Amino acid sequence: MQSSFQISKADIKFIRDFRPQRYNPETASFYTVDDFFAERFPTIIQSNGETWQIASIYFQHLLISENIDSDTLVSIGFHLLHYLRFLEEKSLAFHVFPFEQEKRPTALYFKYLHDQIDSGVFSSSYASEGMRAVIKLYKFCIQFKLFGDDLKDRAYQTLLKRITTRGEFGDRQTVEVETTNYAIARNIRTVTSDEIIDGGRLHPLTTSEQK
């Protein structure tokens, strides 16, 4: 997605054929972990030229602990790059969450994404994926206590949502799923009989298109 930010110069680089390293305190050296591999591993560079360390730590966690594939890492990387650009553009700190909710980074980004949807710049699907990537990064930081207690209480609120589905034999089932107050709903289109469902919006070629 093309950036519209003017101040932030944050960028993303990719390490080819990446294998993580671990530190051995006995030998005071690092060694390569051959069990994990990413064809392309993202590294986010801040405007000051330094690596965004919290994102790098998170990417390694996704690769090692959650076995996330390379393509998914790349996708998450671009979403987090966009968030970093937003933070730098607005002079916001990733881990600073004021008492006033409307001044918090996640609340401001949530509003920004909705504005982009309303103006037609972002699809609701793209915005939803981006917001979810940001919230998952904060969940990681909270889980491993990388910042203060304010992050846990103010970055987002966990909610339970009831969803009704139909079982194999038409019986209705209600399940509770975890969501947050910053979840962005995706628009669900009605698919017509002449469309091909492939994640885009394709249609049979017209006579002129076939020439």
Side-chain angles (χ1 to χ4, degrees):
M1 183 67 65
Q2 183 68 30
S3 173
S4 60
F5 301 131
Q6 302 300 316
I7 299 175
S8 175
K9 302 302 180 184
D11 201 1
I12 190 168
K13 305 295 183 182
F14 297 99
I15 302 173
R16 295 282 183 178
D17 302 330
F18 174 83
R19 284 183 169 83
Q21 292 187 331
R22 286 179 175 163
Y23 182 75
N24 186 340
E26 295 182 358
T27 61
S29 62
F30 289 89
Y31 65 95
T32 301
V33 183
D34 291 324
D35 294 340
F36 302 97
F37 169 80
E39 184 178 349
R40 290 199 301 164
F41 185 84
T43 299
I44 297 177
I45 309 299
Q46 301 173 96
S47 290
N48 61 8
E50 297 179 357
T51 300
W52 193 20
Q53 293 291 349
I54 189 64
S56 294
I57 295 170
Y58 179 55
F59 294 144
Q60 292 214 40
H61 166 78
L62 293 178
L63 177 64
I64 297 173
S65 299
E66 299 190 19
N67 199 28
I68 298 297
D69 63 80
S70 180
D71 288 343
T72 303
L73 282 175
V74 169
S75 177
I76 294 172
F78 276 113
H79 283 304
L80 294 184
L81 168 66
H82 192 270
Y83 182 57
L84 175 61
R85 286 175 172 170
F86 173 83
L87 294 177
E88 292 185 344
E89 197 78 9
K90 303 297 182 182
S91 299
L92 298 169
F94 171 81
H95 62 287
V96 176
F97 282 77
F99 176 79
E100 303 89 342
Q101 182 173 351
E102 67 274 8
K103 295 181 180 180
R104 299 172 187 172
T106 44
L108 291 169
Y109 193 59
F110 179 72
K111 181 182 182 301
Y112 163 81
L113 290 178
H114 270 289
D115 290 342
Q116 299 304 298
I117 294 172
D118 293 341
S119 62
V121 177
F122 293 167
S123 68
S124 60
S125 177
Y126 179 85
S128 177
E129 291 174 2
M131 194 73 230
R132 185 165 57 251
V134 169
I135 294 300
K136 284 186 175 181
L137 174 57
Y138 280 111
K139 284 184 177 181
F140 167 77
C141 294
I142 292 169
Q143 178 185 353
F144 291 96
K145 300 179 180 179
L146 301 183
F147 296 100
D149 293 337
D150 286 348
L151 200 65
K152 180 178 180 180
D153 299 328
R154 299 178 182 178
Y156 61 89
Q157 295 177 6
T158 301
L159 307 172
L160 290 178
K161 182 178 181 181
R162 290 185 177 180
I163 297 179
T164 301
T165 61
R166 290 192 178 276
E168 182 179 355
F169 301 102
D171 54 314
R172 300 181 64 176
Q173 300 176 345
T174 301
V175 296
E176 284 190 340
V177 296
E178 186 177 292
T179 183
T180 74
N181 57 322
Y182 294 131
I184 296 177
R186 302 180 183 216
N187 291 335
I188 300 176
R189 297 176 47 253
T190 300
V191 181
T192 58
S193 59
D194 65 344
E195 288 185 335
I196 302 171
I197 304 176
D198 71 338
R201 188 174 183 179
L202 302 181
H203 59 82
L205 295 177
T206 63
T207 302
S208 60
E209 288 172 331
Q210 295 179 30
K211 294 181 179 179

